[in-house]
């Protein structure tokens, strides 16, 4: 389990190592054909900032070699905003007095049809963590309803046990996203004071349970802004490398959510500039030519237009972050504000104008 690997590391020591990296270490990392975690550490360090142009060129080349000139498009479908956890950064947090909503079968189909009309064949099912209402039984029913309409189904819901993942995979689940939020144990406690999510270790070992269950693809990431993004990203990369070695049949993706305003909002403890986010995206690509890199509508149109040329391989578009947002209940409260509200057709046009091909389903399915 990754928790045993994680125990061997000390946050403060890792952070110091990152900030001690020199331009010579960055140049060495840039000159290599294959890079390791120590190179990644140099590439995310402040010392790498002057090398951004060179990093971007290598990242662009490696991405095109592996993925061609294609960008995958996906869209989130929020099943429920019910949640028994308190998370300091989320509009769905248990203590927030909002109208709670879980889609019933008819409403789910309304959402599915609205999304299919936009052209999507890849959907990401999202929900808060409320075991009584949105537990495994609900997910099985949701997958049975959604499966006939999509070529690829991803989920971002509460962490589950291995046997529950096995049940969902049997129903057609392809991908699970599970973000650690932060690898800083004390800060994690601070931001998750109540509910099942407050169990740091259970969340940390969720990708292992997914790997054992035989998931096709899983997505990792941290919520950028909760803690020092460089140190959190190092631990994400460490986690990724461990998983790739242990569950080598599974594919992996990384996301880069930056803390966004929501109703009652938390300010980021650590700000990350656009240049720094580009640095991080390129550093991941230089570490790992295979990993998919995904950017959501949390980011601005300008930033997203630019990022597709630098290593990003998947974008969401036209997203609503509330259950029923595509038609069944458009007035329910959003999880967070989106920054890029352009329609999927406009995003597809932008991708084509950049010389890339928008892909409406996950290409892995075609290769199996
Ligand atoms: S981040 Fe997830 S678990 Fe936390 S309050 Fe929001 S929906 Fe619930």
């Amino acid at each position: 389990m990754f928790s045993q690997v994680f125990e061997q590391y000390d946050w403060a020591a890792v952070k110091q190592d990152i900030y001690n990296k020199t331009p010579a270490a960055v140049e060495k990392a840039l000159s290599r054909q294959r890079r390791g975690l120590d190179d990644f550490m140099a590439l995310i360090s402040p010392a790498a900032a002057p090398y951004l142009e060179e990093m971007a060129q290598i990242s662009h080349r490696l991405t095109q070699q592996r993925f061609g000139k294609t960008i995958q498009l996906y869209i989130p479908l929020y099943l429920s905003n019910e949640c028994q956890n308190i998370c300091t950064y989320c509009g769905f947090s248990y203590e927030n007095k909002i109208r709670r909503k879980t889609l019933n079968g008819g409403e789910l189909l309304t959402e599915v049809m609205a999304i299919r009309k936009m052209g999507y064949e890849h959907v990401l099912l999202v929900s808060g963590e409320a075991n009584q209402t949105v537990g495994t039984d609900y997910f099985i029913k949701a997958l049975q309803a959604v499966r006939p309409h999509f070529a690829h189904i991803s989920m971002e819901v509460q962490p589950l046990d291995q046997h529950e993942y096995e049940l969902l995979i049997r129903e057609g689940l392809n991908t699970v996203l599970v973000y650690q939020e932060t690898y800083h144990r004390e800060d994690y406690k601070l931001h998750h004071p109540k509910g099942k999510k407050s169990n740091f270790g259970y969340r940390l070992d969720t990708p292992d349970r997914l790997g054992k269950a035989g998931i096709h693809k899983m997505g990792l990431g941290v919520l950028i802004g909760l803690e020092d993004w460089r140190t959190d990203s190092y631990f994400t990369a460490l986690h990724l490398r461990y998983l790739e070695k242990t569950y080598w049949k599974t594919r992996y993706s990384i996301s880069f959510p930056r803390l966004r305003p929501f109703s009652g909002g938390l300010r980021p403890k650590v700000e990350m500039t656009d240049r720094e986010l580009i640095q991080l995206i390129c550093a991941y690509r230089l570490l790992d030519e295979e990993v998919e890199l995904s950017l959501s509508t949390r980011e601005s149109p300008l930033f997203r237009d630019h990022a597709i040329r630098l290593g990003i391989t998947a974008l969401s578009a036209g997203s609503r972050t509330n259950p029923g947002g595509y038609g069944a209940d458009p007035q329910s409260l959003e999880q967070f504000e989106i920054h890029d509200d352009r329609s999927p057709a406009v995003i597809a046009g932008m991708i084509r104008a950049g010389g890339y091909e928008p892909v409406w389903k996950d290409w892995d399915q075609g290769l199996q």
Side-chain angles (χ1 to χ4, degrees):
M1 297 293 232
F2 179 68
S3 50
Q4 288 153 338
V5 176
F6 182 73
E7 290 307 324
Q8 297 162 24
Y9 287 80
D10 174 63
W11 175 282
V14 168
K15 184 174 178 181
Q16 196 176 2
D17 284 350
I18 297 170
Y19 282 82
N20 284 345
K21 286 291 180 192
T22 60
V26 177
E27 285 170 21
K28 203 167 157 193
L30 286 171
S31 69
R32 287 190 207 278
Q33 287 296 322
R34 298 191 76 77
R35 298 171 189 86
L37 285 168
D38 199 51
D39 297 315
F40 181 77
M41 198 179 244
L43 295 173
I44 58 171
S45 74
Y51 297 87
L52 192 54
E53 185 55 41
E54 202 175 329
M55 286 174 69
Q57 281 175 15
I58 302 172
S59 178
H60 175 73
R61 177 170 51 77
L62 293 176
T63 307
Q64 285 210 359
Q65 273 169 13
R66 167 65 182 85
F67 295 91
K69 295 196 90 178
T70 55
I71 299 288
Q72 282 183 72
L73 289 171
Y74 69 95
I75 191 163
L77 192 174
Y78 276 67
L79 300 169
S80 174
N81 62 12
E82 293 192 49
C83 195
Q84 287 159 351
N85 291 322
I86 294 181
C87 299
T88 56
Y89 47 81
C90 178
F92 295 170
S93 187
Y94 176 72
E95 63 197 350
N96 287 357
K97 299 278 172 267
I98 59 164
R99 181 166 63 87
R100 301 290 169 167
K101 168 89 192 163
T102 297
L103 299 184
N104 62 32
E107 290 167 329
L108 179 53
L109 270 184
T110 303
E111 296 292 275
V112 163
M113 291 311 160
I115 288 174
R116 286 292 294 128
K117 245 189 217 163
M118 294 182 223
Y120 284 102
E121 294 187 43
H122 177 187
V123 71
L124 168 66
L125 304 178
V126 186
S127 93
E129 301 191 8
N131 218 19
Q132 298 302 319
T133 35
V134 272
T136 310
D137 290 347
Y138 180 90
F139 297 141
I140 287 176
K141 286 193 192 113
L143 284 168
Q144 288 169 346
V146 168
R147 178 78 269 172
H149 304 281
F150 292 97
H152 191 103
I153 303 177
S154 302
M155 262 193 161
E156 186 181 342
V157 303
Q158 59 175 311
L160 299 168
D161 290 341
Q162 183 183 333
H163 76 275
E164 295 174 302
Y165 284 131
E166 286 165 0
L167 286 174
L168 300 183
I169 291 167
R170 239 177 274 157
E171 297 296 341
L173 176 63
N174 305 109
T175 296
V176 171
L177 312 183
V178 56
Y179 304 141
Q180 186 58 32
E181 316 297 11
T182 177
Y183 287 84
H184 189 291
R185 204 183 272 274
E186 288 72 37
D187 249 40
Y188 184 93
K189 257 188 221 142
L190 214 67
H191 290 291
H192 309 97
K194 191 175 169 294
K196 200 172 155 194
K197 193 167 176 177
S198 59
N199 187 339
F200 179 87
Y202 184 74
R203 198 168 186 90
L204 192 65
D205 283 331
T206 304
D208 275 283
R209 296 194 298 279
L210 278 163
K212 288 182 205 299
I215 193 75
H216 169 68
K217 193 192 317 181
M218 64 175 105
L220 310 176
V222 291
L223 182 54
I224 293 168
L226 292 185
E227 246 305 332
D228 178 68
W229 66 265
R230 300 176 207 270
T231 314
D232 255 336
S233 300
Y234 179 80
F235 280 108
T236 310
L238 179 72
H239 206 161
L240 174 69
R241 274 281 148 109
Y242 159 83
L243 292 165
E244 283 176 332
K245 275 194 193 137
T246 316
Y247 310 104
W248 53 271
K249 284 185 178 168
T250 298
R251 302 196 55 79
Y252 296 90
S253 72
I254 299 282
S255 300
F256 314 89
R258 284 195 281 189
L259 202 53
R260 290 282 302 145
F262 72 97
S263 148
L266 172 83
R267 305 300 322 157
K269 173 178 171 184
V270 182
E271 297 270 0
M272 179 195 229
T273 65
D274 284 357
R275 269 184 77 84
E276 288 169 341
L277 181 50
I278 295 288
Q279 182 185 347
L280 180 60
I281 290 167
C282 296
Y284 270 115
R285 177 59 66 227
L286 268 64
L287 173 71
D288 193 323
E289 296 170 23
E290 300 283 313
V291 73
E292 294 177 21
L293 302 177
S294 173
L295 209 55
S296 80
T297 49
R298 285 171 185 259
E299 297 301 334
S300 70
L302 189 67
F303 186 84
R304 292 191 349 135
D305 293 3
H306 193 53
I308 62 167
R309 279 178 280 278
L310 298 174
I312 289 297
T313 58
L315 290 178
S316 56
S319 307
R320 299 280 174 274
T321 67
N322 50 331
Y326 301 107
D329 186 6
Q331 302 309 322
S332 65
L333 189 99
E334 293 179 321
Q335 188 184 28
F336 56 86
E337 287 173 26
I338 57 174
H339 204 155
D340 186 350
D341 60 2
R342 292 174 294 177
S343 71
V346 171
I347 297 286
M350 173 277 286
I351 291 170
R352 280 196 201 93
Y356 286 73
E357 189 55 35
V359 177
W360 297 89
K361 63 179 173 187
D362 190 297
W363 58 69
D364 285 338
Q365 296 305 300
L367 295 176
Q368 282 183 331

